[in-house]
């Protein structure tokens, strides 16, 4: 049996969708690394495995990073999965529920598949939930040292962990220089996603992102959600904010309890069949 794949991107953050019913190999870390490799594989920022059975939800979804690690949640991944389900006739324009490792989310496909809205769940700043080492507390504006530099960070979870650093100017160089050291810092037992955030106005943020298990990416939905929640918690942005990233913009809405609604585009790229010797050599 040959294995089909579907490739989409969400603001340049690209994923391969694999159907668990049509997979003819075990989805182990080495296979994931090869599939995501930009030269020896199809190339992507991650793998979406679904739909899976999920009691209490319409669909289950597992999310994997290019390094083979499993992520609890992915905002862009959830928008892509929703569009995949819509393309396959499994959903229409009605809201539906997806169970992820990081919790239950509600999604709705809009504008004939061009846009998806996801209720991402609530952001928490609680150290024990993120997790961040040290006393149980909200992790707000604390020092962190990497490569001789001291940054002030806040941490958040929306199912997956985030380290959010406000800077006067968010640049790719900041993310690419310090991202890996922050991702693997001892403060984060499960590692972390990293965002450098520039507040352009109370309604507009600019992000540069280093993702756990993926590295520098052009956009991230969970990063946008977490970063916007931190900036709002600091009183520096409105509850409705546009998050600008190299790959494009997401609309983020923050409820008083820090429940996040994310709305943004999805673009189809390709579909195909994996070659029988993709894992050789
Ligand atoms: N790009 C995703 C985040 C994917 C998971 C992340 N790398 C993690 O390990 O938590 C998004 O759009 O949220």
């Amino acid at each position: 049996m040959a294995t089909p794949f579907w490739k989409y991107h969400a603001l340049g953050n690209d994923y391969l969708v694999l159907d668990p019913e049509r997979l003819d190999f075990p989805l182990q870390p080495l296979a994931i690394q090869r599939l995501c490799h930009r030269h020896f594989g199809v190339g992507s920022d991650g793998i979406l495995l679904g739909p899976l059975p999920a009691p209490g939800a319409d669909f289950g979804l597992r999310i994997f990073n290019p390094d083979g690690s499993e992520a609890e949640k992915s905002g862009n991944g959830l928008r892509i999965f929703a569009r995949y389900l819509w393309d396959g006739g499994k959903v229409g324009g009605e809201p539906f529920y997806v169970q992820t490792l990081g919790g239950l989310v509600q999604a709705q496909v809009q504008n004939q598949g061009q846009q998806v809205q996801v209720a991402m769940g609530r952001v928490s700043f609680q150290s024990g939930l993120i997790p961040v080492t040290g006393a149980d507390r909200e992790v707000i504006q604390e020092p962190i040292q990497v490569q001789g530099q001291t940054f002030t960070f806040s941490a958040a979870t929306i199912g997956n962990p985030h380290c959010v650093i406000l800077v006067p100017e968010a640049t790719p160089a900041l993310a690419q220089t310090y991202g890996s050291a922050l991702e693997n810092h001892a403060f984060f037992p499960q590692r972390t996603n990293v965002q450098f955030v520039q507040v352009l106005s109370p309604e507009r943020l600019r992000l540069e992102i280093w993702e756990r298990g993926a590295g520098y990416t052009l956009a991230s939905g969970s990063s946008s959600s977490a970063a916007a929640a931190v900036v709002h918690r600091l009183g520096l942005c409105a509850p409705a904010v546009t998050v600008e990233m190299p790959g494009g913009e997401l609309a983020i809405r923050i409820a008083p309890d820090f429940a996040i609604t994310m709305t943004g585009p999805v673009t189809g790229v390709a579909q195909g069949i994996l070659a029988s010797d993709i894992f050789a050599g």
Side-chain angles (χ1 to χ4, degrees), residues 41-104:
V42 180
S44 77
D45 286 337
I47 302 278
L48 304 172
L49 180 66
L52 294 161
D58 298 294
F59 308 99
L61 175 66
R62 294 182 70 183
I63 302 154
F64 298 93
N65 290 313
D67 71 350
S69 62
E70 185 163 5
E72 302 85 349
K73 197 167 284 184
S74 166
N76 286 333
L78 279 159
R79 294 208 316 285
I80 286 170
F81 185 56
R83 164 68 185 273
Y84 167 77
L85 294 171
W86 187 86
D87 284 344
K90 291 188 167 67
V91 299
E94 76 288 359
F96 57 92
Y97 288 91
V98 180
Q99 185 66 48
T100 68
L101 209 53
L104 186 69

Short mmCIF file of all heavy atoms in Angstrom, two decimals, residues 41-104:
data_model
loop_
_atom_site.label_atom_id
_atom_site.label_comp_id
_atom_site.label_asym_id
_atom_site.label_seq_id
_atom_site.Cartn_x
_atom_site.Cartn_y
_atom_site.Cartn_z
N GLY A 41 13.68 14.60 2.32
CA GLY A 41 12.27 14.21 2.48
C GLY A 41 11.37 15.14 1.72
O GLY A 41 11.82 15.87 0.83
N VAL A 42 10.09 15.13 2.08
CA VAL A 42 9.13 16.03 1.43
C VAL A 42 9.38 17.46 1.90
O VAL A 42 9.22 18.43 1.15
CB VAL A 42 7.67 15.61 1.76
CG1 VAL A 42 6.67 16.55 1.10
CG2 VAL A 42 7.42 14.17 1.34
N GLY A 43 9.72 17.62 3.15
CA GLY A 43 10.03 18.93 3.74
C GLY A 43 8.82 19.56 4.41
O GLY A 43 7.78 19.74 3.75
N SER A 44 8.92 19.83 5.70
CA SER A 44 7.83 20.54 6.40
C SER A 44 8.28 20.92 7.81
O SER A 44 9.29 20.44 8.31
CB SER A 44 6.58 19.67 6.48
OG SER A 44 6.74 18.70 7.49
N ASP A 45 7.46 21.80 8.43
CA ASP A 45 7.69 22.19 9.83
C ASP A 45 7.03 21.22 10.80
O ASP A 45 7.01 21.48 12.01
CB ASP A 45 7.13 23.60 10.07
CG ASP A 45 7.98 24.70 9.45
OD1 ASP A 45 9.18 24.46 9.22
OD2 ASP A 45 7.43 25.78 9.18
N GLY A 46 6.44 20.14 10.25
CA GLY A 46 5.84 19.16 11.14
C GLY A 46 4.88 18.23 10.42
O GLY A 46 4.63 18.36 9.22
N ILE A 47 4.38 17.26 11.22
CA ILE A 47 3.46 16.24 10.71
C ILE A 47 2.15 16.30 11.52
O ILE A 47 2.19 16.45 12.75
CB ILE A 47 4.06 14.82 10.90
CG1 ILE A 47 5.41 14.68 10.21
CG2 ILE A 47 3.07 13.76 10.43
CD1 ILE A 47 5.39 14.40 8.75
N LEU A 48 1.05 16.22 10.82
CA LEU A 48 -0.27 16.10 11.46
C LEU A 48 -0.80 14.71 11.17
O LEU A 48 -0.94 14.33 10.00
CB LEU A 48 -1.23 17.15 10.90
CG LEU A 48 -0.77 18.61 11.00
CD1 LEU A 48 -1.74 19.52 10.24
CD2 LEU A 48 -0.64 19.05 12.45
N LEU A 49 -1.05 13.93 12.21
CA LEU A 49 -1.58 12.55 12.04
C LEU A 49 -3.03 12.55 12.50
O LEU A 49 -3.33 12.75 13.69
CB LEU A 49 -0.75 11.58 12.90
CG LEU A 49 -1.19 10.12 12.82
CD1 LEU A 49 -0.96 9.53 11.43
CD2 LEU A 49 -0.49 9.29 13.89
N GLY A 50 -3.91 12.39 11.53
CA GLY A 50 -5.33 12.37 11.87
C GLY A 50 -6.18 12.17 10.63
O GLY A 50 -5.65 12.19 9.52
N PRO A 51 -7.52 12.01 10.82
CA PRO A 51 -8.23 12.02 12.08
C PRO A 51 -8.07 10.70 12.84
O PRO A 51 -8.00 9.64 12.21
CB PRO A 51 -9.69 12.23 11.67
CG PRO A 51 -9.78 11.70 10.28
CD PRO A 51 -8.44 11.95 9.64
N LEU A 52 -8.02 10.81 14.17
CA LEU A 52 -7.91 9.67 15.08
C LEU A 52 -9.20 9.59 15.90
O LEU A 52 -9.88 10.63 16.08
CB LEU A 52 -6.71 9.85 16.01
CG LEU A 52 -5.34 9.81 15.34
CD1 LEU A 52 -4.29 10.45 16.24
CD2 LEU A 52 -4.95 8.39 14.98
N PRO A 53 -9.54 8.42 16.40
CA PRO A 53 -10.71 8.34 17.29
C PRO A 53 -10.49 9.19 18.54
O PRO A 53 -9.36 9.25 19.05
CB PRO A 53 -10.77 6.86 17.67
CG PRO A 53 -9.80 6.14 16.81
CD PRO A 53 -8.86 7.13 16.23
N ALA A 54 -11.53 9.87 18.99
CA ALA A 54 -11.35 10.74 20.17
C ALA A 54 -12.67 10.83 20.93
O ALA A 54 -13.56 11.62 20.54
CB ALA A 54 -10.90 12.13 19.74
N PRO A 55 -12.83 10.04 21.99
CA PRO A 55 -14.07 10.14 22.78
C PRO A 55 -14.29 11.57 23.27
O PRO A 55 -13.35 12.22 23.73
CB PRO A 55 -13.80 9.20 23.97
CG PRO A 55 -12.69 8.31 23.53
CD PRO A 55 -11.86 9.09 22.54
N GLY A 56 -15.48 12.10 23.09
CA GLY A 56 -15.79 13.45 23.56
C GLY A 56 -15.43 14.53 22.59
O GLY A 56 -15.56 15.73 22.87
N ALA A 57 -14.91 14.14 21.41
CA ALA A 57 -14.60 15.13 20.37
C ALA A 57 -15.01 14.54 19.02
O ALA A 57 -15.28 13.35 18.90
CB ALA A 57 -13.10 15.46 20.38
N ASP A 58 -15.04 15.39 18.00
CA ASP A 58 -15.38 14.89 16.66
C ASP A 58 -14.19 14.16 16.02
O ASP A 58 -14.36 13.19 15.29
CB ASP A 58 -15.81 16.05 15.78
CG ASP A 58 -17.07 16.74 16.33
OD1 ASP A 58 -18.12 16.07 16.34
OD2 ASP A 58 -16.98 17.88 16.79
N PHE A 59 -12.99 14.69 16.31
CA PHE A 59 -11.77 14.12 15.70
C PHE A 59 -10.63 14.20 16.72
O PHE A 59 -10.58 15.13 17.54
CB PHE A 59 -11.35 14.89 14.45
CG PHE A 59 -12.46 15.07 13.45
CD1 PHE A 59 -13.16 16.27 13.39
CD2 PHE A 59 -12.79 14.05 12.58
CE1 PHE A 59 -14.19 16.44 12.47
CE2 PHE A 59 -13.81 14.22 11.65
CZ PHE A 59 -14.52 15.41 11.60
N GLY A 60 -9.67 13.28 16.59
CA GLY A 60 -8.42 13.38 17.36
C GLY A 60 -7.28 13.73 16.42
O GLY A 60 -7.33 13.41 15.21
N LEU A 61 -6.27 14.40 16.95
CA LEU A 61 -5.12 14.82 16.14
C LEU A 61 -3.85 14.69 16.96
O LEU A 61 -3.81 15.08 18.14
CB LEU A 61 -5.28 16.29 15.72
CG LEU A 61 -4.09 16.91 14.98
CD1 LEU A 61 -3.90 16.25 13.61
CD2 LEU A 61 -4.28 18.42 14.83
N ARG A 62 -2.82 14.11 16.34
CA ARG A 62 -1.48 14.12 16.95
C ARG A 62 -0.58 14.99 16.10
O ARG A 62 -0.70 15.01 14.87
CB ARG A 62 -0.91 12.70 17.08
CG ARG A 62 -1.69 11.82 18.05
CD ARG A 62 -1.08 10.44 18.20
NE ARG A 62 0.22 10.49 18.92
CZ ARG A 62 0.98 9.39 19.11
NH1 ARG A 62 0.62 8.23 18.59
NH2 ARG A 62 2.12 9.49 19.78
N ILE A 63 0.34 15.71 16.76
CA ILE A 63 1.17 16.72 16.11
C ILE A 63 2.64 16.41 16.39
O ILE A 63 3.00 16.20 17.56
CB ILE A 63 0.84 18.12 16.66
CG1 ILE A 63 -0.64 18.45 16.44
CG2 ILE A 63 1.73 19.20 16.04
CD1 ILE A 63 -1.21 19.45 17.43
N PHE A 64 3.45 16.34 15.36
CA PHE A 64 4.86 16.01 15.54
C PHE A 64 5.74 17.10 14.94
O PHE A 64 5.45 17.63 13.86
CB PHE A 64 5.19 14.67 14.88
CG PHE A 64 4.43 13.51 15.47
CD1 PHE A 64 3.22 13.09 14.91
CD2 PHE A 64 4.91 12.86 16.60
CE1 PHE A 64 2.50 12.05 15.46
CE2 PHE A 64 4.20 11.80 17.15
CZ PHE A 64 2.99 11.39 16.59
N ASN A 65 6.82 17.42 15.66
CA ASN A 65 7.81 18.38 15.18
C ASN A 65 8.83 17.70 14.28
O ASN A 65 9.00 16.47 14.36
CB ASN A 65 8.54 19.01 16.37
CG ASN A 65 7.66 19.95 17.16
OD1 ASN A 65 6.97 20.78 16.60
ND2 ASN A 65 7.68 19.79 18.49
N PRO A 66 9.56 18.45 13.47
CA PRO A 66 10.55 17.84 12.57
C PRO A 66 11.65 17.06 13.28
O PRO A 66 12.27 16.18 12.67
CB PRO A 66 11.15 19.04 11.82
CG PRO A 66 10.11 20.10 11.90
CD PRO A 66 9.43 19.89 13.23
N ASP A 67 11.90 17.35 14.57
CA ASP A 67 12.93 16.56 15.28
C ASP A 67 12.38 15.22 15.77
O ASP A 67 13.09 14.46 16.42
CB ASP A 67 13.54 17.37 16.43
CG ASP A 67 12.58 17.57 17.61
OD1 ASP A 67 11.37 17.25 17.46
OD2 ASP A 67 13.03 18.06 18.66
N GLY A 68 11.09 14.99 15.52
CA GLY A 68 10.48 13.73 15.92
C GLY A 68 9.74 13.81 17.24
O GLY A 68 9.05 12.86 17.62
N SER A 69 9.86 14.96 17.95
CA SER A 69 9.15 15.11 19.22
C SER A 69 7.66 15.36 18.96
O SER A 69 7.28 15.83 17.88
CB SER A 69 9.74 16.28 20.03
OG SER A 69 9.59 17.50 19.34
N GLU A 70 6.84 15.04 19.95
CA GLU A 70 5.39 15.24 19.81
C GLU A 70 5.01 16.51 20.54
O GLU A 70 5.43 16.75 21.68
CB GLU A 70 4.60 14.05 20.35
CG GLU A 70 3.10 14.21 20.11
CD GLU A 70 2.32 12.91 20.25
OE1 GLU A 70 2.93 11.87 20.64
OE2 GLU A 70 1.11 12.92 19.98
N ALA A 71 4.22 17.35 19.87
CA ALA A 71 3.76 18.61 20.46
C ALA A 71 2.34 18.47 20.96
O ALA A 71 1.54 17.73 20.39
CB ALA A 71 3.84 19.73 19.43
N GLU A 72 2.03 19.20 22.02
CA GLU A 72 0.70 19.12 22.62
C GLU A 72 -0.32 19.89 21.78
O GLU A 72 -1.52 19.54 21.77
CB GLU A 72 0.73 19.71 24.03
CG GLU A 72 1.70 19.07 25.00
CD GLU A 72 3.12 19.66 24.90
OE1 GLU A 72 3.41 20.41 23.93
OE2 GLU A 72 3.93 19.35 25.78
N LYS A 73 0.12 20.93 21.12
CA LYS A 73 -0.82 21.76 20.36
C LYS A 73 -0.07 22.49 19.26
O LYS A 73 1.14 22.72 19.36
CB LYS A 73 -1.52 22.76 21.29
CG LYS A 73 -2.78 23.37 20.71
CD LYS A 73 -3.63 24.10 21.76
CE LYS A 73 -4.40 23.19 22.65
NZ LYS A 73 -5.27 23.94 23.59
N SER A 74 -0.79 22.88 18.20
CA SER A 74 -0.22 23.68 17.12
C SER A 74 -1.36 24.49 16.51
O SER A 74 -2.32 23.91 15.99
CB SER A 74 0.39 22.77 16.04
OG SER A 74 0.64 23.51 14.87
N GLY A 75 -1.25 25.80 16.62
CA GLY A 75 -2.34 26.64 16.11
C GLY A 75 -2.42 26.57 14.59
O GLY A 75 -3.51 26.33 14.03
N ASN A 76 -1.28 26.71 13.94
CA ASN A 76 -1.29 26.61 12.47
C ASN A 76 -1.64 25.19 12.05
O ASN A 76 -2.37 24.98 11.08
CB ASN A 76 0.07 27.01 11.90
CG ASN A 76 0.30 28.50 11.96
OD1 ASN A 76 -0.65 29.28 11.93
ND2 ASN A 76 1.54 28.90 12.04
N GLY A 77 -1.15 24.22 12.83
CA GLY A 77 -1.47 22.83 12.51
C GLY A 77 -2.97 22.55 12.61
O GLY A 77 -3.53 21.84 11.77
N LEU A 78 -3.62 23.14 13.60
CA LEU A 78 -5.06 22.93 13.76
C LEU A 78 -5.85 23.59 12.63
O LEU A 78 -6.84 23.02 12.14
CB LEU A 78 -5.52 23.47 15.12
CG LEU A 78 -5.24 22.51 16.28
CD1 LEU A 78 -5.22 23.25 17.60
CD2 LEU A 78 -6.27 21.37 16.30
N ARG A 79 -5.39 24.76 12.18
CA ARG A 79 -6.07 25.39 11.05
C ARG A 79 -5.91 24.54 9.80
O ARG A 79 -6.87 24.32 9.03
CB ARG A 79 -5.57 26.81 10.81
CG ARG A 79 -5.87 27.79 11.90
CD ARG A 79 -5.98 29.23 11.42
NE ARG A 79 -4.93 29.62 10.49
CZ ARG A 79 -3.68 29.88 10.86
NH1 ARG A 79 -3.32 29.76 12.14
NH2 ARG A 79 -2.77 30.24 9.96
N ILE A 80 -4.69 24.01 9.60
CA ILE A 80 -4.45 23.14 8.44
C ILE A 80 -5.30 21.87 8.52
O ILE A 80 -5.93 21.45 7.54
CB ILE A 80 -2.95 22.82 8.33
CG1 ILE A 80 -2.18 24.04 7.83
CG2 ILE A 80 -2.71 21.61 7.43
CD1 ILE A 80 -0.67 23.91 7.90
N PHE A 81 -5.36 21.26 9.69
CA PHE A 81 -6.15 20.02 9.86
C PHE A 81 -7.63 20.29 9.58
O PHE A 81 -8.30 19.49 8.92
CB PHE A 81 -5.95 19.49 11.28
CG PHE A 81 -6.61 18.16 11.55
CD1 PHE A 81 -6.34 17.05 10.76
CD2 PHE A 81 -7.52 18.03 12.60
CE1 PHE A 81 -6.95 15.82 11.01
CE2 PHE A 81 -8.13 16.80 12.86
CZ PHE A 81 -7.85 15.70 12.06
N ALA A 82 -8.11 21.45 10.02
CA ALA A 82 -9.52 21.80 9.78
C ALA A 82 -9.79 21.92 8.27
O ALA A 82 -10.77 21.40 7.74
CB ALA A 82 -9.86 23.10 10.48
N ARG A 83 -8.86 22.57 7.59
CA ARG A 83 -9.01 22.73 6.13
C ARG A 83 -8.93 21.38 5.44
O ARG A 83 -9.70 21.12 4.51
CB ARG A 83 -7.90 23.64 5.62
CG ARG A 83 -7.64 23.62 4.12
CD ARG A 83 -8.77 24.20 3.27
NE ARG A 83 -8.44 23.98 1.86
CZ ARG A 83 -7.69 24.85 1.15
NH1 ARG A 83 -7.24 25.98 1.73
NH2 ARG A 83 -7.39 24.59 -0.13
N TYR A 84 -8.04 20.48 5.90
CA TYR A 84 -7.92 19.12 5.34
C TYR A 84 -9.24 18.37 5.50
O TYR A 84 -9.70 17.71 4.55
CB TYR A 84 -6.78 18.40 6.05
CG TYR A 84 -6.73 16.91 5.82
CD1 TYR A 84 -6.24 16.37 4.62
CD2 TYR A 84 -7.17 16.02 6.81
CE1 TYR A 84 -6.19 15.00 4.41
CE2 TYR A 84 -7.13 14.65 6.60
CZ TYR A 84 -6.64 14.15 5.41
OH TYR A 84 -6.61 12.78 5.21
N LEU A 85 -9.84 18.48 6.68
CA LEU A 85 -11.13 17.81 6.91
C LEU A 85 -12.20 18.38 5.99
O LEU A 85 -13.03 17.66 5.45
CB LEU A 85 -11.54 17.96 8.38
CG LEU A 85 -10.66 17.26 9.41
CD1 LEU A 85 -11.07 17.70 10.82
CD2 LEU A 85 -10.71 15.74 9.27
N TRP A 86 -12.16 19.69 5.78
CA TRP A 86 -13.13 20.35 4.89
C TRP A 86 -12.93 19.93 3.44
O TRP A 86 -13.87 19.61 2.73
CB TRP A 86 -12.97 21.88 5.04
CG TRP A 86 -14.00 22.69 4.33
CD1 TRP A 86 -15.23 23.07 4.79
CD2 TRP A 86 -13.86 23.28 3.03
NE1 TRP A 86 -15.88 23.84 3.86
CE2 TRP A 86 -15.06 23.99 2.76
CE3 TRP A 86 -12.83 23.28 2.06
CZ2 TRP A 86 -15.25 24.69 1.57
CZ3 TRP A 86 -13.04 23.98 0.88
CH2 TRP A 86 -14.23 24.66 0.64
N ASP A 87 -11.66 19.88 3.02
CA ASP A 87 -11.35 19.43 1.65
C ASP A 87 -11.86 18.01 1.41
O ASP A 87 -12.30 17.67 0.31
CB ASP A 87 -9.84 19.48 1.39
CG ASP A 87 -9.31 20.89 1.16
OD1 ASP A 87 -10.13 21.79 0.89
OD2 ASP A 87 -8.09 21.07 1.26
N GLY A 88 -11.79 17.21 2.47
CA GLY A 88 -12.19 15.80 2.34
C GLY A 88 -13.67 15.56 2.60
O GLY A 88 -14.12 14.42 2.66
N GLY A 89 -14.41 16.66 2.80
CA GLY A 89 -15.85 16.53 3.00
C GLY A 89 -16.24 16.01 4.38
O GLY A 89 -17.38 15.63 4.63
N LYS A 90 -15.28 15.97 5.32
CA LYS A 90 -15.56 15.44 6.66
C LYS A 90 -16.20 16.49 7.56
O LYS A 90 -16.75 16.17 8.61
CB LYS A 90 -14.29 14.88 7.30
CG LYS A 90 -13.75 13.61 6.63
CD LYS A 90 -12.61 13.01 7.43
CE LYS A 90 -12.26 11.60 6.97
NZ LYS A 90 -11.69 11.59 5.60
N VAL A 91 -16.06 17.77 7.20
CA VAL A 91 -16.75 18.87 7.89
C VAL A 91 -17.23 19.86 6.84
O VAL A 91 -16.72 19.91 5.72
CB VAL A 91 -15.85 19.60 8.91
CG1 VAL A 91 -15.36 18.68 10.01
CG2 VAL A 91 -14.67 20.29 8.21
N GLY A 92 -18.24 20.66 7.27
CA GLY A 92 -18.69 21.75 6.42
C GLY A 92 -18.32 23.06 7.10
O GLY A 92 -17.21 23.17 7.63
N GLY A 93 -19.27 23.98 7.17
CA GLY A 93 -19.00 25.28 7.79
C GLY A 93 -19.36 25.32 9.27
O GLY A 93 -19.23 26.36 9.93
N GLU A 94 -19.80 24.19 9.80
CA GLU A 94 -20.20 24.14 11.22
C GLU A 94 -18.97 24.03 12.14
O GLU A 94 -17.95 23.48 11.73
CB GLU A 94 -21.14 22.96 11.46
CG GLU A 94 -20.46 21.57 11.52
CD GLU A 94 -19.97 21.06 10.16
OE1 GLU A 94 -20.16 21.76 9.14
OE2 GLU A 94 -19.35 19.98 10.15
N PRO A 95 -19.08 24.56 13.38
CA PRO A 95 -17.98 24.36 14.33
C PRO A 95 -17.86 22.89 14.70
O PRO A 95 -18.86 22.16 14.72
CB PRO A 95 -18.40 25.19 15.55
CG PRO A 95 -19.52 26.07 15.10
CD PRO A 95 -20.16 25.36 13.95
N PHE A 96 -16.65 22.42 14.99
CA PHE A 96 -16.44 21.03 15.41
C PHE A 96 -15.28 20.99 16.40
O PHE A 96 -14.53 21.97 16.55
CB PHE A 96 -16.15 20.12 14.20
CG PHE A 96 -14.99 20.55 13.38
CD1 PHE A 96 -13.70 20.06 13.62
CD2 PHE A 96 -15.15 21.48 12.35
CE1 PHE A 96 -12.63 20.46 12.85
CE2 PHE A 96 -14.07 21.89 11.57
CZ PHE A 96 -12.81 21.39 11.82
N TYR A 97 -15.16 19.83 17.09
CA TYR A 97 -14.17 19.73 18.17
C TYR A 97 -13.05 18.77 17.80
O TYR A 97 -13.28 17.71 17.23
CB TYR A 97 -14.86 19.27 19.46
CG TYR A 97 -15.72 20.35 20.06
CD1 TYR A 97 -17.07 20.46 19.73
CD2 TYR A 97 -15.16 21.30 20.93
CE1 TYR A 97 -17.85 21.48 20.26
CE2 TYR A 97 -15.94 22.32 21.47
CZ TYR A 97 -17.28 22.41 21.12
OH TYR A 97 -18.04 23.43 21.64
N VAL A 98 -11.83 19.19 18.14
CA VAL A 98 -10.63 18.37 17.89
C VAL A 98 -9.92 18.16 19.22
O VAL A 98 -9.67 19.11 19.97
CB VAL A 98 -9.67 19.05 16.90
CG1 VAL A 98 -8.43 18.17 16.66
CG2 VAL A 98 -10.37 19.36 15.58
N GLN A 99 -9.61 16.89 19.52
CA GLN A 99 -8.88 16.55 20.75
C GLN A 99 -7.39 16.49 20.42
O GLN A 99 -6.98 15.76 19.51
CB GLN A 99 -9.33 15.20 21.29
CG GLN A 99 -8.70 14.84 22.63
CD GLN A 99 -9.15 15.77 23.76
OE1 GLN A 99 -10.33 16.03 23.94
NE2 GLN A 99 -8.19 16.30 24.51
N THR A 100 -6.60 17.28 21.14
CA THR A 100 -5.15 17.23 20.98
C THR A 100 -4.54 16.82 22.33
O THR A 100 -5.22 16.82 23.36
CB THR A 100 -4.58 18.60 20.60
OG1 THR A 100 -4.73 19.49 21.74
CG2 THR A 100 -5.30 19.19 19.39
N LEU A 101 -3.27 16.52 22.33
CA LEU A 101 -2.58 16.18 23.58
C LEU A 101 -2.67 17.34 24.57
O LEU A 101 -2.64 17.15 25.78
CB LEU A 101 -1.11 15.90 23.25
CG LEU A 101 -0.30 14.93 24.10
CD1 LEU A 101 -1.02 13.60 24.23
CD2 LEU A 101 1.09 14.74 23.48
N GLY A 102 -2.80 18.57 24.01
CA GLY A 102 -2.83 19.76 24.85
C GLY A 102 -4.23 20.25 25.15
O GLY A 102 -4.39 21.38 25.62
N GLY A 103 -5.24 19.42 24.88
CA GLY A 103 -6.60 19.80 25.23
C GLY A 103 -7.54 19.82 24.04
O GLY A 103 -7.14 19.62 22.88
N LEU A 104 -8.81 20.09 24.35
CA LEU A 104 -9.88 20.10 23.37
C LEU A 104 -10.00 21.50 22.77
O LEU A 104 -9.98 22.50 23.50
CB LEU A 104 -11.20 19.72 24.05
CG LEU A 104 -12.43 19.52 23.19
CD1 LEU A 104 -12.29 18.27 22.31
CD2 LEU A 104 -13.68 19.39 24.08
#
